[in-house]
Amino acid sequence: MSENTLHFQIKTHLWLTSQTRLLVYLLILASSLVSCQSSKQATKKSNIATDSLKQAKIKKDTVKAPPVLPLRASKRRLHDLLHTKLEIKFDWKKQHVLGKATLLLRPYFYAQDSVVLDAKGFDIHSVKLITIKGEEEFEQALKYRYNQRKLVIRLDKPYQRQESFTLEIDYTAKPEELPQGGSDAITSDKGLYFINANGKSPNLPQQIWTQGETEASSCWFPTLDSPNERCTQEMYITVAKKFKTLSNGELVYSRENADNTRTDYWRMDLPHAPYLFMLAVGDFAIYKDQWKGKAVHYYVDRPFLKYAKGIFGRTPEMLSFFSQKLNYPFPWNKYAQVVVHQFVSGAMENTTASVFNEGLQIDDRALLDAHWDGIIAHELFHQWFGNLVTCESWGQLPLNEAFANYSEYLWAEHKYGVDEADYLAQIELRGYLVEADNKQVPMIRYRYAHREDMFDAHSYNKGGRILHMLRKYVGDEAFWRALNVYLTQNKFKSAEIDQLRLAFEQTTGEDLRWFFNQWFFHAGHPAIRVNHRFANDQLTLTTEQVNDSSDFVYRLPLKIAVWTNGQRKLLPILIDQAQQTFAFKIAQKPDLVVFDAEQQLLGLIAHKKTDEELVYQYAHAPTFKARMEVIDKLFNRERLSPLLKKTIIKALNDSFWAIRQRAIEKIASYEALQTLAMINTLLKIAQNDPKTVVRAAAITGLAAFTNKNNAAASLQTLYESSLNAQSYAIVGAALDALVKEKTANISEKIVKFEDYNALEVVSIVAQYYADNNVPKKYDWFAKKIRQTFQLTKHQLLQSFGIYLLGADITTQKKGAAFLNTITQEKNEAQAVKFLAYQSLSYLTEVEGVTDLLRKIKQDEKNPELKKMYGLIYND
């Protein structure tokens, strides 16, 4: 499963992972009443890559020991669920599921005379035992107890483990009537969702979709809702003829019924976990692709059918890449990807049919700036890691999510190059380190407060980085072979971390307990101070581990790179002590020493370097991280030496776009570099750089120059012409520049972009209307908030709140009522409700708003959202 109001640079290449979503929302809270552009700049600053221990704010004295949490064992298996057949209809008015479930089970080992099924909030109409004798089928009513969570069925006799039996349960599921739940990662746990059930929302299609992870499948069908269970399935879904359906496995047939409905029969012949069961219903358009004779289909809203190939079209290539590297072909009979509205997370890897949030639906202009390959690869890799082999308990979640996270790196490395992959790796590391400031827990957790606590930057970000270190340690050939061993030995089973370790040990012949113990079972990460000096033909390198856990010493097999006379030499070292000294015979003083030459360590490194060494590092170090480290270190200096100025200018022509972009940002923030020659250089970049987001950065950078009088006409021409660009990033940057320049006819220009829905453009329009109290724009805000996707809604709601502050009392009251309706919508995203509540809190001077804030908070049933409301209003 995955996951985003991030800076566009990150939005382009990194979908917001579910485990960091609320962190971003809380950052939005902290920056309330700040303009959209200021928020962008703050995000840029927060994303500076660094290896500085000081900047990372390691606070050994403030890291608290975690509380003692309950032991979470794998669910005991009393029965084995062999097969599930579901016959499903829907009552749209009541938002009920009318179901019949036929379950084939047998005792797992010990004889059993009863069965306990998970079934949340059902009306149970009947429970029957089905037996077949010859060609006849017999039904026997069974006694049962039901407490709205567990269905306890008394069998007709004790069954031995060799004996199977079939239960038929007729029920009504009422997911909308369940108590509100959810978490940071998955914001609701109703299992099945009706979207625009009454058809009255003009900007929303009517849809039904499911979300089973972690244990929400039992909100719409009775089952053994645990990741260590698995079964085959078949599903009969009856819907109105206008709708299309999607489920796991193969669509065997569709049958039209006399009542103007249609029944689609989907069959899944290979076993998988109940949390991976899915269905989706809607008026989807389907783009039909294929891979090696298997259907690969993309389900989208009809207006986006023409863009579906651009969004999802690299899926067949991903299937080939992953299948070849794993030496294990894609194990299922088809693969579908469906985009749904108001999804409760980023995406979900249901077996053969992944679900994605509506943000993936972008047009060809947005595709010039952005792609969603990361999230697409993530869910696809789950088809092996999570679906073919499933974590046996939620405490083993990194066996699912660490691999899916790392697949993003693997795909980027393959498709776009190692710089792109390392760029993503730095974002992942940064995300983990932000979380680690306040939370450090083992990767594999046998104790946790709630299973969904596992969906965090440890299981995802840190897990992916650990797998990269393991790959670097054992080598590519051993890494991929070990993964094949793991998949082959555990296919269609549940697994725990030791089985992954054993697969690597079987492959390499090395006991790897030390690696797994320190990275998967120990909390935290290494923090290392490094110093080097040269004297008497000897290079001396000293290391000191200053980890949060002062009594724990990491074992770190690494390499250092040493340059002399333009030649690079790699020297292996093994750090296994708190303080160590390494000595190397070298004929002359080195030009540069780089610790962790492969730039793969998950941790923090403080290594002081002179200006000359930094300049040399940028010019000669081959990795993205080493080059970006130089550029980022320059951001912290008030003055730059001539050497460093040359390096910044040189970085404008770097082979990798993110470094060019970063250099532009540095130049724009440093007045001494804002010369006429630099303006001309950035003008060329803004017009000719192959990367649209770099061209946009150049426009934004030029707008920030303080001395540009001699080039004002050229800049005005650039901004005006860029408004006609196809790239939304460029258009948004140009429009923002014209706003900042206070162009005489800016009001007329802004109006021309009111119909845009792209975040990069509409956020500038909204910001302008909010900052300038432009009258009669209430209806525009309300319409945009209703019709745009969640990422754009986030920015619009913040600007709308500021707009209302400057509006007349009538508009404020109208706006307060509108914001209240958003907080009351059942299927609205948690973040959208939060931001609506935040904007409403700006209006406390309006009569009745304080009481309304209190009532919304008191009535809110979702505990996470209620807690967030308390950060805004606490009476």
Side-chain angles (χ1 to χ4, degrees):
M1 158 161 288
S2 56
E3 168 94 69
N4 350 78
T5 39
L6 288 178
H7 172 253
F8 186 74
Q9 168 187 333
I10 295 176
K11 172 182 173 286
T12 304
H13 292 269
L14 181 68
W15 45 275
L16 180 66
T17 53
S18 56
Q19 75 277 12
T20 60
R21 181 184 289 121
L22 289 189
L23 172 62
V24 175
Y25 299 160
L26 293 175
L27 290 176
I28 293 170
L29 166 63
S31 61
S32 61
L33 297 177
V34 178
S35 69
C36 296
Q37 188 59 30
S38 296
S39 296
K40 287 183 180 180
Q41 295 302 324
T43 308
K44 288 178 183 178
K45 292 178 183 177
S46 71
N47 287 330
I48 296 174
T50 179
D51 66 3
S52 166
L53 302 188
K54 181 178 178 181
Q55 288 176 323
K57 297 180 181 177
I58 294 294
K59 300 175 182 177
K60 297 172 67 172
D61 294 336
T62 62
V63 176
K64 298 179 180 179
V68 177
L69 298 170
L71 180 65
R72 307 290 187 179
S74 301
K75 185 174 182 180
R76 185 181 179 188
R77 300 186 65 186
L78 297 177
H79 287 88
D80 191 6
L81 179 59
L82 303 175
H83 184 72
T84 298
K85 180 174 79 171
L86 299 176
E87 298 167 74
I88 300 289
K89 298 179 182 179
F90 305 100
D91 184 330
W92 285 81
K93 184 176 180 179
K94 295 181 179 178
Q95 299 186 49
H96 288 177
V97 179
L98 313 177
K100 180 188 290 184
T102 305
L103 310 179
L104 177 63
L105 304 103
R106 68 181 173 208
Y108 189 79
F109 187 83
Y110 299 104
Q112 303 290 333
D113 62 4
S114 61
V115 180
V116 181
L117 298 175
D118 298 293
K120 301 183 178 80
F122 292 3
D123 290 339
I124 303 295
H125 306 304
S126 66
V127 177
K128 300 174 184 176
L129 179 73
I130 306 297
T131 56
I132 298 176
K133 296 181 180 179
E135 296 183 358
E136 293 187 75
E137 182 179 291
F138 297 88
E139 299 178 352
Q140 178 182 348
L142 297 176
K143 295 181 179 180
Y144 62 89
R145 301 191 314 274
Y146 183 52
N147 65 1
Q148 294 297 302
R149 303 290 293 180
K150 300 288 185 179
L151 176 61
V152 183
I153 302 169
R154 185 75 176 180
L155 300 174
D156 63 323
K157 65 169 188 174
Y159 283 79
Q160 305 299 316
R161 63 176 176 269
Q162 301 89 352
E163 298 179 281
S164 61
F165 55 90
T166 301
L167 300 176
E168 181 185 277
I169 303 166
D170 191 6
Y171 67 96
T172 298
K174 301 178 289 183
E176 282 297 322
E177 298 173 30
L178 289 169
Q180 287 291 314
S183 67
D184 292 3
I186 307 164
T187 59
S188 180
D189 59 358
K190 294 186 296 187
L192 183 142
Y193 301 79
F194 289 82
I195 305 302
N196 192 17
N198 60 16
K200 294 181 179 180
S201 297
N203 299 309
L204 269 179
Q206 285 189 294
Q207 293 181 345
I208 300 170
W209 45 262
T210 60
Q211 167 52 39
E213 196 173 37
T214 51
E215 297 177 8
S217 286
S218 50
C219 295
W220 62 281
F221 67 93
T223 189
L224 298 176
D225 209 347
S226 176
N228 62 354
E229 188 56 73
R230 59 184 59 239
C231 67
T232 53
Q233 81 178 67
E234 51 188 325
M235 200 176 303
Y236 296 81
I237 308 171
T238 300
V239 295
K241 289 181 181 179
K242 65 180 180 178
F243 292 125
K244 294 183 175 65
T245 71
L246 175 65
S247 188
N248 313 96
E250 175 190 12
L251 178 60
V252 180
Y253 65 75
S254 294
R255 181 189 67 227
E256 294 193 357
N257 305 314
D259 60 355
N260 202 35
T261 64
R262 189 188 72 256
T263 299
D264 291 345
Y265 172 45
W266 293 85
R267 185 176 65 208
M268 181 76 179
D269 290 332
L270 296 174
H272 65 143
Y275 79 88
L276 297 166
F277 281 35
M278 71 82 66
L279 65 79
V281 175
D283 184 22
F284 301 111
I286 305 174
Y287 185 97
K288 296 183 178 181
D289 214 337
Q290 66 86 33
W291 177 76
K292 295 190 173 181
K294 295 184 178 184
V296 179
H297 293 172
Y298 319 133
Y299 290 63
V300 296
D301 291 349
R302 290 190 175 279
F304 289 92
L305 179 61
K306 57 187 174 182
Y307 310 120
K309 179 73 170 179
I311 299 166
F312 292 106
R314 287 170 293 281
T315 303
E317 186 181 350
M318 291 181 189
L319 283 161
S320 292
F321 171 65
F322 291 139
S323 294
Q324 184 270 325
K325 297 301 288 185
L326 292 167
N327 195 25
Y328 197 117
F330 178 73
W332 314 102
N333 59 0
K334 73 111 176 5
Y335 189 57
Q337 295 168 104
V338 57
V339 177
V340 302
H341 286 258
Q342 298 186 341
F343 195 52
V344 294
S345 191
M348 179 62 204
E349 68 274 10
N350 309 294
T351 313
T352 76
S354 291
V355 178
F356 297 86
N357 74 84
E358 67 220 43
L360 268 74
Q361 294 189 140
I362 54 179
D363 62 22
D364 53 358
R365 295 180 67 179
L367 286 166
L368 295 172
D369 307 320
H371 63 70
W372 292 109
D373 281 16
I375 192 171
I376 293 168
H378 182 112
E379 306 310 327
L380 177 57
F381 212 54
H382 268 309
Q383 301 299 316
W384 287 270
F385 296 91
N387 299 8
L388 178 65
V389 182
T390 308
C391 61
E392 71 168 10
S393 69
W394 299 116
Q396 305 278 337
L397 184 67
L399 287 173
N400 293 10
E401 297 300 348
F403 279 103
N405 178 279
Y406 191 43
S407 74
E408 302 169 43
Y409 181 97
L410 294 168
W411 172 251
E413 181 184 38
H414 165 77
K415 183 67 177 178
Y416 303 109
V418 70
D419 277 352
E420 190 78 39
D422 286 344
Y423 167 68
L424 294 181
Q426 284 304 102
I427 294 175
E428 295 296 328
L429 175 60
R430 222 162 24 234
Y432 160 71
L433 291 174
V434 168
E435 181 173 275
D437 270 347
N438 298 299
K439 176 183 180 180
Q440 293 188 12
V441 291
M443 290 287 296
I444 302 299
R445 280 162 260 177
Y446 296 104
R447 295 181 182 272
Y448 47 82
H450 192 279
R451 58 184 176 269
E452 291 190 13
D453 294 345
M454 290 295 304
F455 292 80
D456 58 13
H458 284 68
S459 294
Y460 287 72
N461 307 43
K462 184 178 182 181
R465 294 295 80 221
I466 290 172
L467 291 176
H468 185 66
M469 289 189 296
L470 182 58
R471 175 187 169 197
K472 287 294 183 181
Y473 179 72
V474 302
D476 270 22
E477 183 180 0
F479 180 79
W480 290 108
R481 184 174 296 183
L483 295 190
N484 175 267
V485 170
Y486 171 75
L487 293 172
T488 302
Q489 292 180 347
N490 299 289
K491 60 184 178 182
F492 306 114
K493 299 177 185 176
S494 56
E496 60 182 62
I497 193 68
D498 283 330
Q499 286 162 300
L500 180 66
R501 174 180 59 80
L502 291 170
F504 273 87
E505 291 181 352
Q506 178 180 331
T507 300
T508 63
E510 179 182 352
D511 190 326
L512 291 169
R513 289 179 191 272
W514 67 269
F515 184 95
F516 281 76
N517 284 347
Q518 78 178 16
W519 290 113
F520 285 100
F521 292 103
H522 179 75
H525 51 269
I528 303 174
R529 287 197 181 99
V530 180
N531 288 288
H532 72 273
R533 60 186 177 84
F534 177 79
N536 301 322
D537 296 333
Q538 181 170 280
L539 171 66
T540 302
L541 183 85
T542 60
T543 63
E544 179 186 8
Q545 295 197 36
V546 288
N547 312 320
D548 287 338
S549 301
S550 57
D551 59 340
F552 186 84
V553 175
Y554 284 86
R555 183 174 188 259
L556 305 172
L558 298 170
K559 296 174 183 176
I560 65 169
V562 179
W563 277 263
T564 54
N565 291 327
Q567 299 296 311
R568 175 174 175 256
K569 185 176 183 179
L570 294 179
L571 303 172
I573 60 173
L574 174 62
I575 300 175
D576 56 6
Q577 299 173 34
Q579 296 181 339
Q580 277 177 271
T581 300
F582 302 91
F584 307 94
K585 276 289 183 182
I586 295 180
Q588 65 184 71
K589 182 180 179 180
D591 300 303
L592 176 66
V593 176
V594 172
F595 181 80
D596 182 24
E598 295 176 297
Q599 306 287 282
Q600 48 93 24
L601 180 65
L602 187 151
L604 296 163
I605 304 167
H607 187 186
K608 290 184 178 180
K609 292 168 188 169
T610 65
D611 286 0
E612 290 75 15
E613 287 173 322
L614 288 173
V615 169
Y616 195 95
Q617 178 170 316
Y618 176 80
H620 293 85
T623 65
F624 156 78
K625 183 180 177 183
R627 303 198 315 278
M628 184 63 95
E629 175 193 336
V630 175
I631 306 303
D632 281 339
K633 280 190 172 182
L634 304 187
F635 267 76
N636 301 318
R637 303 202 178 182
E638 294 182 3
R639 296 182 180 181
L640 297 180
S641 67
L643 278 175
L644 294 179
K645 288 180 182 178
K646 289 181 181 178
T647 297
I648 284 287
I649 295 170
K650 185 177 180 181
L652 293 174
N653 293 309
D654 195 277
S655 60
F656 186 54
W657 67 269
I659 292 178
R660 300 197 301 273
Q661 183 185 55
R662 197 78 179 119
I664 290 169
E665 293 168 359
K666 174 58 183 174
I667 289 167
S669 69
Y670 194 70
E671 190 171 348
L673 291 173
Q674 296 177 6
T675 62
L676 181 59
M678 183 57 67
I679 288 176
N680 291 329
T681 298
L682 292 188
L683 275 168
K684 292 179 181 178
I685 292 173
Q687 294 165 334
N688 302 314
D689 195 279
K691 193 75 172 180
T692 56
V693 292
V694 176
R695 292 170 60 191
I699 293 171
T700 300
L702 285 166
F705 274 33
T706 56
N707 182 13
K708 50 192 172 186
N709 294 331
N710 293 331
S714 297
L715 293 177
Q716 186 74 17
T717 300
L718 170 69
Y719 303 152
E720 297 278 359
S721 63
S722 295
L723 292 178
N724 299 316
Q726 286 296 298
S727 158
Y728 289 132
I730 294 173
V731 172
L735 192 61
D736 190 43
L738 289 169
V739 169
K740 286 183 170 59
E741 296 289 351
K742 299 181 179 179
T743 303
N745 60 344
I746 187 61
S747 296
E748 290 78 11
K749 293 184 183 298
I750 284 283
V751 170
K752 296 178 181 178
F753 294 92
E754 285 189 340
D755 291 337
Y756 279 60
N757 289 329
L759 170 64
E760 298 75 28
V761 179
V762 74
S763 63
I764 305 302
V765 178
Q767 178 187 337
Y768 177 81
Y769 289 158
D771 289 347
N772 294 278
N773 296 322
V774 178
K776 298 182 180 180
K777 293 301 177 183
Y778 174 89
D779 289 339
W780 179 84
F781 270 106
K783 178 182 176 182
K784 284 295 176 185
I785 290 169
R786 287 299 190 193
Q787 74 182 28
T788 51
F789 293 154
Q790 288 181 26
L791 288 175
T792 307
K793 281 184 182 181
H794 298 167
Q795 290 283 8
L796 288 172
L797 280 166
Q798 292 176 87
S799 293
F800 184 51
I802 298 170
Y803 176 79
L804 290 175
L805 274 174
D808 60 74
I809 188 65
T810 301
T811 301
Q812 287 182 335
K813 288 182 176 180
K814 188 177 178 182
F818 175 72
L819 292 168
N820 180 46
T821 62
I822 294 176
T823 68
Q824 301 307 306
E825 291 184 2
K826 286 185 176 180
N827 291 323
E828 189 57 87
Q830 194 166 315
V832 172
K833 290 185 178 183
F834 168 73
L835 289 169
Y837 190 84
Q838 175 185 272
S839 290
L840 184 60
S841 72
Y842 301 163
L843 304 177
T844 52
E845 298 299 319
V846 176
E847 182 181 0
V849 167
T850 299
D851 291 337
L852 185 57
L853 289 167
R854 182 184 299 111
K855 187 176 189 306
I856 293 170
K857 190 178 76 167
Q858 288 176 346
D859 294 347
E860 179 55 52
K861 295 179 180 179
N862 186 308
E864 292 293 330
L865 191 53
K866 191 165 189 166
K867 186 193 309 181
M868 293 170 68
Y869 285 164
L871 297 173
I872 298 288
Y873 175 78
N874 198 1
D875 54 353

